[in-house]
Amino acid sequence: MTESLYTGILIYPRFSEYELSVLLSVLKQGGKQTIFLGLNSHPIKGEAGLPCIPESTINEFDINLLDSVVLPGVDDFEHLVDDHKLSSFLHKIDDRNRIIAAISSAPYLLSASGVLEKKRYTTGLTTEQRNFFGTFNNENYVNSPVVVDDYLITAKGSAFIEFAFGVGDQLNLKYEKDWFFSNS
């Protein structure tokens, strides 16, 4: 019997909790196994102060058990710049053509790792911010709420509902989209 694969949800200091809210519900509705992965095993706080403890780390968890990875945005990612463990992890996921989903500022982590180099993408970062970082291929930028290019899903932070649906659809999950909208 084949073991079910996981969606790895990366959590790091100051990650944006709300950007994961609908996605976590979609994954749960779809019966998808998740694993919360940290850069280390230390407790962290999201940008709104939610305390979180990773279930495993990106170095400890068997990457072969992941079919997808989600990177939430972060309001200050200075602590993630030049994180070689994270960059190496993202390369391994990309090399295996696993689904990679990044929202808001998180596409920076993909661009810094070279994962976005030949992919169309969007991000919540402005043109000035992308130019400042110097890691983005601006020719591949698409000014859209969500962009799907093969196995890569990127979104602006305000499109967190559409982002969740994009991930759910890429994973072929069965979930109720209407559940997330008011009937009034």
Side-chain angles (χ1 to χ4, degrees):
M1 185 165 150
T2 308
E3 189 169 354
S4 188
L5 297 177
Y6 291 80
T7 293
I9 312 286
L10 273 78
I11 55 173
Y12 25 75
R14 301 179 65 112
F15 77 93
S16 182
E17 299 100 331
Y18 84 88
E19 292 171 351
L20 295 178
S21 61
V22 174
L23 175 62
L24 293 174
S25 180
V26 165
L27 295 170
K28 183 74 169 175
Q29 281 186 41
K32 182 70 174 147
Q33 289 190 103
T34 58
I35 181 82
F36 290 89
L37 299 172
L39 304 179
N40 56 49
S41 60
H42 301 135
I44 61 157
K45 285 191 178 185
E47 71 181 18
L50 181 70
C52 300
I53 300 173
E55 296 175 277
S56 188
T57 70
I58 59 175
N59 289 337
E60 293 170 349
F61 194 75
D62 182 355
I63 199 166
N64 295 308
L65 296 177
L66 296 172
D67 65 0
S68 50
V69 171
V70 175
L71 292 90
V74 58
D75 67 353
D76 179 2
F77 49 81
E78 183 177 358
H79 60 285
L80 299 172
V81 174
D82 296 326
D83 187 311
H84 300 292
K85 291 187 298 187
L86 178 58
S87 183
S88 174
F89 174 79
L90 294 173
H91 273 288
K92 290 175 188 173
I93 295 294
D94 186 45
D95 288 347
R96 288 167 173 78
N97 295 331
R98 309 295 180 158
I99 294 170
I100 301 173
I103 186 169
S104 188
S105 60
Y108 165 73
L109 302 171
L110 301 179
S111 73
S113 301
V115 171
L116 281 186
E117 194 172 317
K118 297 178 182 175
K119 298 287 187 187
R120 292 179 313 112
Y121 69 93
T122 194
T123 179
L125 298 172
T126 66
T127 302
E128 293 78 22
Q129 290 170 319
R130 294 191 316 271
N131 288 338
F132 173 79
F133 292 122
T135 59
F136 286 94
N137 179 346
N138 283 321
E139 291 177 15
N140 293 341
Y141 173 77
V142 179
N143 187 16
S144 180
V146 177
V147 173
V148 178
D149 188 342
D150 197 15
Y151 55 87
L152 182 75
I153 305 160
T154 53
K156 295 181 179 184
S158 60
F160 65 98
I161 294 174
E162 297 89 344
F163 175 71
F165 294 169
V167 174
D169 293 347
Q170 282 289 101
L171 290 168
N172 296 312
L173 300 179
K174 293 187 186 330
Y175 62 97
E176 186 59 47
K177 287 183 181 180
D178 292 339
W179 191 83
F180 300 98
F181 300 100
S182 172
N183 292 329
S184 55

